[in-house]
Amino acid sequence: MKALVTGASSGIGRDMAVYLGELGYDLILVSRDENRLKETASKIKTNVTIYPVDLSGMDNCFKLYDKFKDEDIDLLVNGAGFGLFGNTWETDINKEMKMIDVNIKCLHILTKLFLQDMVKKDKGRILNIASSAGFLSGPGLNTYYATKNYVTKWTMAIYEELRKIKSNVHISCLCPGPVNTNFNKVAGGSFTVKGLSSEYVAKYGIDKCLKNKLIIIPGTMIKIGLFVNRFSPYKLSLRVVHHIQSMKKKGNG
Ligand SMILES: NC(=O)c1ccc[n+]([C@@H]2O[C@H](COP(=O)([O-])OP(=O)(O)OC[C@H]3O[C@@H](n4cnc5c(N)ncnc54)[C@H](OP(=O)(O)O)[C@@H]3O)[C@@H](O)[C@H]2O)c1
């Protein structure tokens, strides 16, 4: 068994890679930071290849696919991603364009190219790491929430396309709330609610993915929150989320 994991140098992607190693998967670890990829690799006992690359470059995403397309990947985990706190008129547009490149375009390219091969072979699975943000609008962390909406909606539609042709290929979407990783440091904010551990979320996500679950939401509070949100008026939901993001930005948690 072989898995390719992007975002494998840190947080959820790293912990998924380590857990997949424990399950017996050989691994291809992808992100920019070669040293941290080596650190992840040192925790894994199965065969590991590291591939340091900036996934905000679209050419790099195509090259990544070309490099590993013949490796018979059983599981693709699209874990690379980041956010940026701030009001929409204040945040750095260049960082946001890179965010769209990594969170949306890279995930789109890798999912689509590996999916084409998997459908031909009628085997394989893909786990896209979205977020609970993928079901909400996110004033204060707006572009990030919007990118994750793309991931949830796009992944759900693929699930239905695969179901319709009775494919043995499976696709899942992990939608956690706050998780204790480098995310806040990179995004320039802090959580007001207690985050789940990255190890727990990683293991939970992989276990549910291997059971062919479409939407995977770790943690009871987030499950309840998202359920209640479905029946809440839009403007109330916006106020609640904005309040949470504003508090995050000030670090009042
Ligand atoms: N933490 C949370 O609260 C939370 C909640 C829900 C969803 N998520 C999602 O979970 C995923 C993993 O995030 P995390 O929380 O584990 O954060 P993290 O610890 O900051 O990890 C992010 C990973 O993405 C990689 N990455 C970022 N930009 C990249 C680029 N341009 N090219 C290649 N790799 C890049 C980073 O590697 P390098 O820096 O080495 O490139 C790192 O391995 C993300 O998609 C995030 O949106 C996080």
Side-chain angles (χ1 to χ4, degrees):
M1 295 180 295
K2 191 173 285 186
L4 189 156
V5 181
T6 74
S9 65
S10 173
I12 303 169
R14 175 199 58 207
D15 292 330
M16 282 187 171
V18 172
Y19 181 53
L20 285 166
E22 288 166 15
L23 295 181
Y25 282 79
D26 291 334
L27 282 141
I28 299 159
L29 308 180
V30 183
S31 83
R32 288 166 303 184
D33 191 320
E34 186 168 0
N35 288 333
R36 285 195 296 158
L37 285 177
K38 282 183 184 159
E39 259 175 53
T40 306
S42 71
K43 295 178 180 150
I44 299 171
K45 293 196 172 64
T46 49
N47 295 321
V48 183
T49 305
I50 63 163
Y51 188 81
V53 68
D54 185 347
L55 295 171
S56 69
M58 297 305 98
D59 284 355
N60 290 343
C61 301
F62 285 104
K63 276 187 203 149
L64 169 63
Y65 167 73
D66 281 339
K67 171 104 181 130
F68 296 109
K69 65 182 177 194
D70 298 323
E71 293 266 342
D72 209 15
I73 306 289
D74 298 286
L75 171 62
L76 166 68
V77 178
N78 280 305
F82 69 97
L84 183 62
F85 285 95
N87 287 319
T88 308
W89 57 91
E90 294 169 332
T91 43
D92 180 340
I93 191 164
N94 295 315
K95 279 191 190 161
E96 284 182 333
M97 292 304 107
K98 277 194 186 262
M99 192 199 305
I100 291 168
D101 287 342
V102 177
N103 294 12
I104 296 181
K105 288 191 190 171
C106 169
L107 181 139
H108 184 121
I109 291 167
L110 295 181
T111 298
K112 189 175 177 81
L113 295 178
F114 281 105
L115 181 66
Q116 286 171 340
D117 296 339
M118 287 176 181
V119 168
K120 271 186 213 139
K121 289 185 271 186
D122 198 28
K123 79 177 180 78
R125 39 180 103 246
I126 297 174
L127 173 57
N128 285 337
I129 306 189
S131 168
S132 55
F135 298 102
L136 302 164
S137 292
L141 193 55
N142 184 6
T143 306
Y144 175 74
Y145 273 61
T147 64
K148 293 301 180 178
N149 271 268
Y150 184 94
V151 178
T152 52
K153 303 297 152 50
W154 197 66
T155 304
M156 286 163 78
I158 294 171
Y159 175 92
E160 177 57 17
E161 290 171 355
L162 291 169
R163 191 196 65 77
K164 189 83 179 170
I165 61 160
K166 298 189 170 54
S167 174
N168 285 313
V169 180
H170 297 285
I171 193 159
S172 303
C173 196
L174 178 64
C175 302
V179 185
N180 298 325
T181 66
N182 258 342
F183 180 90
N184 282 357
K185 202 172 154 203
V186 173
S190 67
F191 286 106
T192 53
V193 288
K194 202 167 168 275
L196 294 174
S197 87
S198 174
E199 291 87 352
Y200 170 78
V201 170
K203 189 170 182 303
Y204 187 89
I206 294 292
D207 286 345
K208 295 287 179 190
C209 166
L210 295 178
K211 287 182 181 152
N212 305 337
K213 278 281 255 180
L214 168 58
I215 298 295
I216 304 166
I217 304 174
T220 312
M221 290 313 289
I222 297 296
K223 278 194 189 83
I224 293 170
L226 288 176
F227 182 77
V228 171
N229 181 68
R230 281 201 228 166
F231 308 100
S232 305
Y234 287 124
K235 287 185 181 172
L236 175 63
S237 169
L238 285 169
R239 283 182 185 208
V240 171
V241 176
H242 197 184
H243 181 63
I244 293 166
Q245 309 309 355
S246 303
M247 286 174 29
K248 277 182 187 171
K249 209 181 146 201
K250 288 180 209 146
N252 290 342

mmCIF file of all heavy atoms in Angstrom, residues 222-232:
data_model
loop_
_atom_site.group_PDB
_atom_site.id
_atom_site.type_symbol
_atom_site.label_atom_id
_atom_site.label_comp_id
_atom_site.label_asym_id
_atom_site.label_seq_id
_atom_site.Cartn_x
_atom_site.Cartn_y
_atom_site.Cartn_z
ATOM 1 N N ILE A 222 -18.138 20.567 17.462
ATOM 2 C CA ILE A 222 -18.172 21.085 16.084
ATOM 3 C C ILE A 222 -19.331 20.446 15.319
ATOM 4 O O ILE A 222 -20.042 21.123 14.558
ATOM 5 C CB ILE A 222 -16.825 20.824 15.365
ATOM 6 C CG1 ILE A 222 -15.690 21.562 16.069
ATOM 7 C CG2 ILE A 222 -16.880 21.238 13.897
ATOM 8 C CD1 ILE A 222 -15.803 23.082 16.052
ATOM 9 N N LYS A 223 -19.549 19.149 15.557
ATOM 10 C CA LYS A 223 -20.690 18.478 14.897
ATOM 11 C C LYS A 223 -21.992 19.193 15.263
ATOM 12 O O LYS A 223 -22.810 19.513 14.402
ATOM 13 C CB LYS A 223 -20.790 17.016 15.367
ATOM 14 C CG LYS A 223 -19.864 16.059 14.666
ATOM 15 C CD LYS A 223 -20.311 14.622 14.974
ATOM 16 C CE LYS A 223 -19.289 13.620 14.481
ATOM 17 N NZ LYS A 223 -18.164 13.383 15.370
ATOM 18 N N ILE A 224 -22.159 19.472 16.566
ATOM 19 C CA ILE A 224 -23.391 20.136 17.025
ATOM 20 C C ILE A 224 -23.482 21.548 16.425
ATOM 21 O O ILE A 224 -24.519 21.965 15.910
ATOM 22 C CB ILE A 224 -23.443 20.196 18.573
ATOM 23 C CG1 ILE A 224 -23.576 18.774 19.148
ATOM 24 C CG2 ILE A 224 -24.602 21.075 19.054
ATOM 25 C CD1 ILE A 224 -23.397 18.686 20.656
ATOM 26 N N GLY A 225 -22.368 22.276 16.479
ATOM 27 C CA GLY A 225 -22.330 23.653 15.955
ATOM 28 C C GLY A 225 -22.740 23.709 14.488
ATOM 29 O O GLY A 225 -23.553 24.554 14.086
ATOM 30 N N LEU A 226 -22.196 22.806 13.694
ATOM 31 C CA LEU A 226 -22.516 22.809 12.255
ATOM 32 C C LEU A 226 -23.974 22.412 12.024
ATOM 33 O O LEU A 226 -24.636 22.937 11.123
ATOM 34 C CB LEU A 226 -21.574 21.866 11.495
ATOM 35 C CG LEU A 226 -20.128 22.360 11.342
ATOM 36 C CD1 LEU A 226 -19.267 21.301 10.655
ATOM 37 C CD2 LEU A 226 -20.058 23.672 10.565
ATOM 38 N N PHE A 227 -24.471 21.491 12.859
ATOM 39 C CA PHE A 227 -25.869 21.070 12.715
ATOM 40 C C PHE A 227 -26.797 22.253 13.021
ATOM 41 O O PHE A 227 -27.706 22.560 12.240
ATOM 42 C CB PHE A 227 -26.158 19.892 13.661
ATOM 43 C CG PHE A 227 -27.561 19.380 13.547
ATOM 44 C CD1 PHE A 227 -27.934 18.580 12.468
ATOM 45 C CD2 PHE A 227 -28.524 19.704 14.494
ATOM 46 C CE1 PHE A 227 -29.231 18.116 12.339
ATOM 47 C CE2 PHE A 227 -29.824 19.251 14.373
ATOM 48 C CZ PHE A 227 -30.181 18.455 13.296
ATOM 49 N N VAL A 228 -26.543 22.928 14.123
ATOM 50 C CA VAL A 228 -27.382 24.074 14.507
ATOM 51 C C VAL A 228 -27.299 25.165 13.438
ATOM 52 O O VAL A 228 -28.305 25.791 13.087
ATOM 53 C CB VAL A 228 -26.946 24.627 15.893
ATOM 54 C CG1 VAL A 228 -27.644 25.945 16.210
ATOM 55 C CG2 VAL A 228 -27.227 23.602 16.986
ATOM 56 N N ASN A 229 -26.118 25.376 12.895
ATOM 57 C CA ASN A 229 -25.915 26.419 11.887
ATOM 58 C C ASN A 229 -26.824 26.232 10.661
ATOM 59 O O ASN A 229 -27.252 27.191 10.041
ATOM 60 C CB ASN A 229 -24.448 26.459 11.453
ATOM 61 C CG ASN A 229 -24.205 27.558 10.430
ATOM 62 O OD1 ASN A 229 -24.297 28.739 10.741
ATOM 63 N ND2 ASN A 229 -23.951 27.171 9.191
ATOM 64 N N ARG A 230 -27.107 24.948 10.349
ATOM 65 C CA ARG A 230 -27.957 24.663 9.181
ATOM 66 C C ARG A 230 -29.331 25.315 9.298
ATOM 67 O O ARG A 230 -29.972 25.626 8.306
ATOM 68 C CB ARG A 230 -28.199 23.155 9.069
ATOM 69 C CG ARG A 230 -27.053 22.416 8.472
ATOM 70 C CD ARG A 230 -27.574 21.098 7.935
ATOM 71 N NE ARG A 230 -26.729 20.001 8.361
ATOM 72 C CZ ARG A 230 -27.068 18.730 8.285
ATOM 73 N NH1 ARG A 230 -28.240 18.375 7.845
ATOM 74 N NH2 ARG A 230 -26.237 17.802 8.665
ATOM 75 N N PHE A 231 -29.792 25.493 10.535
ATOM 76 C CA PHE A 231 -31.140 26.037 10.739
ATOM 77 C C PHE A 231 -31.112 27.492 11.207
ATOM 78 O O PHE A 231 -32.126 28.060 11.544
ATOM 79 C CB PHE A 231 -31.896 25.167 11.757
ATOM 80 C CG PHE A 231 -31.864 23.711 11.382
ATOM 81 C CD1 PHE A 231 -30.972 22.837 11.983
ATOM 82 C CD2 PHE A 231 -32.700 23.229 10.380
ATOM 83 C CE1 PHE A 231 -30.909 21.509 11.612
ATOM 84 C CE2 PHE A 231 -32.650 21.896 9.998
ATOM 85 C CZ PHE A 231 -31.752 21.035 10.612
ATOM 86 N N SER A 232 -29.913 28.082 11.255
ATOM 87 C CA SER A 232 -29.799 29.464 11.746
ATOM 88 C C SER A 232 -29.953 30.440 10.595
ATOM 89 O O SER A 232 -29.516 30.156 9.476
ATOM 90 C CB SER A 232 -28.420 29.694 12.381
ATOM 91 O OG SER A 232 -28.187 28.765 13.382
#
